[in-house]
Amino acid sequence: MATTTPKLISDKNEMRNWSRSMRAQGKLIGFVPTMGFLHAGHLSLVSQARSLCDVVAVSIYVNPGQFAPSEDLSTYPSDFQGDLRKLAALPGGVDVVFHPHNLYDYGHNSGDVAGEGGGPAASCVDGDGSGHETWVRVEKLEVGLCGKSRPIFFRGVATIVTKLFNIVEPDLAVFGKKDYQQLRVIQRMVRDLDFSIKVIGAEITRESDGLAMSSRNVHLSPEERKKALSINKSLLKAKSAAEDGEVHCEKLSNLVIQCIAEAGGRIDYAEIVDQNNLEKVEQIKGPVVFCIAAWFGKVRLIDNMEINLSIGV
């Protein structure tokens, strides 16, 4: 297959100038932010952006601002050259890859917290007061689900996406629905802060056996990976039960929790929430999403499934 090598940009001003040049030519700019170690799920987001836009930019940047000291920043997988090859091989290719060194370094500090094997970080503020100290928070949507066990995560996500939007200046951005809470946080942030950007949620890409694609899957042992299939299987059972008339969320949640626990997983949360405001519901009366986070060994996986029932009056 013929490949088209994307333009590689690491400088913020060069990235912004490229986008403004494209816009001056009347071109619609699509954007897919990633942390690298790309799999078919990421590539599907890029393909969707390509189908909707004239030019596409992809960022590859491991954001230290969303990792707590106890989390896996230093072990987050990376294969930058492999990522470039995958992007180049896509039909239509990618026009630009934005790969900055450190988006929290303003010239006063030089630590490589950008994460090509960098150390753990919960904050990007340095000791002399000249570092980064401005954070974006989406106060209600960030609290539940993943926000319970990862209290700084969405602060870091919203802030880095804001920075990337201000640098890349896209017309459209594509995020995956696997990170459902993240998608809703970004969509609400864009609405509330009047970004002139359309944010699209793309469907989850799964392996042939149903496991949701994730860069963290590489850390699963073969046995753990087999056990992790219980997540999608249990979600499908819950959706089927709901479609058959079981609309009491506690019963559906218990079904999923039992299935995952019996497979050897450890539940972080298993909640049925409103698709828009992510508030927990007791009975399905409208569009909901069943969100799960579970540990298999030392790997925390998330997954979800939308349930859209036609509820009679």
Side-chain angles (χ1 to χ4, degrees):
M1 178 185 293
T3 60
T4 303
T5 303
K7 180 180 179 67
L8 184 60
I9 296 178
S10 59
D11 179 74
K12 291 186 287 187
N13 290 325
E14 185 182 353
M15 182 67 247
R16 191 176 287 116
N17 290 338
W18 180 88
S19 292
R20 292 179 180 180
S21 172
M22 293 300 105
R23 184 164 289 108
Q25 298 174 41
K27 294 183 178 179
L28 198 68
I29 302 167
F31 177 48
V32 179
T34 80
M35 295 209 301
F37 207 68
L38 304 181
H39 51 65
H42 297 111
L43 300 180
S44 72
L45 307 183
V46 178
S47 295
Q48 186 160 348
R50 170 59 71 190
S51 71
L52 297 169
C53 300
D54 300 307
V55 292
V56 174
V58 172
S59 63
I60 297 177
Y61 180 71
V62 180
N63 173 37
Q66 67 196 55
F67 290 85
S70 61
E71 294 178 336
D72 56 355
L73 172 60
S74 62
T75 60
Y76 197 86
S78 174
D79 180 16
F80 183 62
Q81 294 303 320
D83 291 343
L84 292 181
R85 288 192 294 271
K86 291 173 184 176
L87 292 171
L90 280 175
V94 168
D95 298 278
V96 163
V97 171
F98 180 49
H99 183 55
H101 171 66
N102 180 0
L103 288 178
Y104 298 93
D105 184 350
Y106 304 101
H108 301 286
N109 49 4
S110 58
D112 181 13
V113 297
E116 290 200 38
S123 171
C124 299
V125 182
D126 65 14
D128 65 5
S130 63
H132 185 93
E133 55 180 307
T134 304
W135 301 96
V136 179
R137 307 205 74 147
V138 182
E139 294 185 350
K140 290 185 178 180
L141 285 178
E142 73 171 33
V143 172
L145 302 175
C146 285
K148 292 179 182 178
S149 60
R150 306 187 72 188
I152 72 165
F153 177 73
F154 290 110
R155 177 193 78 168
V157 168
T159 300
I160 196 62
V161 173
T162 296
K163 288 167 72 67
L164 288 168
F165 281 175
N166 284 332
I167 294 166
V168 178
E169 298 183 347
D171 298 292
L172 177 146
V174 184
F175 290 80
K177 284 188 178 181
K178 185 178 77 71
D179 301 287
Y180 204 92
Q181 187 176 13
Q182 172 179 277
L183 170 65
R184 293 302 187 223
V185 164
I186 297 305
Q187 288 176 328
R188 186 65 57 87
M189 179 191 80
V190 163
R191 186 201 73 176
D192 290 355
L193 299 183
D194 292 308
F195 281 97
S196 183
I197 300 169
K198 183 175 183 180
V199 176
I200 291 179
E203 298 301 323
I204 298 173
T205 303
R206 299 184 181 277
E207 304 282 359
S208 59
D209 55 12
L211 185 67
M213 289 191 176
S214 169
S215 298
R216 289 186 171 92
N217 289 351
V218 69
H219 294 308
L220 293 168
S221 69
E223 182 181 359
E224 290 165 349
R225 192 190 181 289
K226 186 176 180 179
K227 292 177 178 179
L229 298 178
S230 61
I231 299 178
N232 184 51
K233 289 178 181 177
S234 64
L235 283 172
L236 288 169
K237 285 182 181 179
K239 183 177 182 180
S240 177
E243 291 170 343
D244 288 340
E246 180 55 80
V247 295
H248 294 282
C249 295
E250 184 178 2
K251 293 182 179 179
L252 294 172
S253 295
N254 288 339
L255 178 115
V256 167
I257 291 169
Q258 180 180 352
C259 182
I260 292 175
E262 288 177 351
R266 179 164 53 91
I267 293 287
D268 182 351
Y269 63 78
E271 294 185 16
I272 299 174
V273 299
D274 181 274
Q275 287 185 15
N276 293 312
N277 60 31
L278 303 185
E279 291 182 1
K280 192 172 181 178
V281 299
E282 294 182 359
Q283 187 171 334
I284 300 176
K285 297 179 180 179
V288 297
V289 56
F290 200 146
C291 297
I292 289 178
W295 292 87
F296 290 86
K298 295 181 179 180
V299 184
R300 181 178 180 273
L301 300 176
I302 61 172
D303 201 346
N304 66 78
M305 191 163 289
E306 291 179 327
I307 301 175
N308 299 294
L309 301 183
S310 298
I311 306 294
V313 178

